Amino acid sequence: MIPEKPFPTEHNVNKVNKSVGTARGDFAVNGHDLTAELRQQMVKPRPGFEKIVIRVMDAAAQVGLELPNVSVASVREAQAAATRLHPLLINTRALHQSVSDTMYGAESAAWSGTMLYYSVLCRLAENDENLRATLEPVVEFFARRPAAV
């Protein structure tokens, strides 16, 4: 089904893309791009860990405990950063989903219309040799089965 809203214009897409590019550049200053290998090596926090971080760091500060390679301040800053990043993650996920859905809708509408035109053109090509020749690569395309997924 073709969406009722019009698809974004080239101007609109370019404007948003420029803004996203600027935001990516701004974020790259402090962003951390993790390799798959590094991501596997990292510890995955349990749900609800945020309260535990605060409690453990408060207890460490209370008794004056500072580990040589991991300071209480660095742990607190990491937790604060995670908290600050959460709204940005929600917004970028929503943007990604919206762009993905819009693109899929556009591709689907284009393909649906193409198949409709193709079926009519095939009927017309029965009596038109030039049209039949024009459609030959398209007929070959439709004759191939898609690769199994």
Side-chain angles (χ1 to χ4, degrees):
M1 166 169 256
I2 297 175
E4 293 182 20
K5 288 193 326 190
F7 293 110
T9 63
E10 185 174 356
H11 172 76
N12 180 255
V13 170
N14 289 340
K15 179 180 169 188
V16 172
N17 197 35
K18 184 177 180 181
S19 295
V20 170
T22 300
R24 285 183 64 201
D26 292 346
F27 191 77
V29 173
N30 298 103
H32 296 222
D33 296 326
L34 305 176
T35 64
E37 183 181 351
L38 185 56
R39 187 177 286 273
Q40 281 184 328
Q41 295 170 3
M42 298 177 89
V43 178
K44 181 176 167 81
R46 294 181 184 185
F49 79 100
E50 301 88 350
K51 292 177 184 175
I52 301 304
V53 169
I54 293 168
R55 184 169 289 238
V56 170
M57 292 305 107
D58 286 350
Q62 182 179 350
V63 298
L65 178 62
E66 277 290 334
L67 300 176
N69 295 329
V70 183
S71 69
V72 169
S74 70
V75 173
R76 288 187 195 270
E77 174 50 29
Q79 179 55 44
T83 300
R84 285 191 302 269
L85 288 166
H86 193 257
L88 180 59
L89 180 63
I90 290 170
N91 280 328
T92 55
R93 280 182 178 162
L95 176 61
H96 177 269
Q97 188 65 55
S98 181
V99 170
S100 179
D101 289 350
T102 303
M103 184 173 162
Y104 184 71
E107 289 174 339
S108 178
W111 189 239
S112 177
T114 298
M115 291 190 307
L116 181 62
Y117 272 89
Y118 173 70
S119 65
V120 172
L121 287 168
C122 281
R123 287 193 189 114
L124 294 173
E126 291 173 5
N127 301 316
D128 185 336
E129 192 173 313
N130 288 333
L131 181 56
R132 196 170 30 249
T134 299
L135 290 177
E136 191 173 311
V138 180
V139 171
E140 289 175 18
F141 177 85
F142 277 104
R144 287 193 309 264
R145 298 188 70 114
V149 211

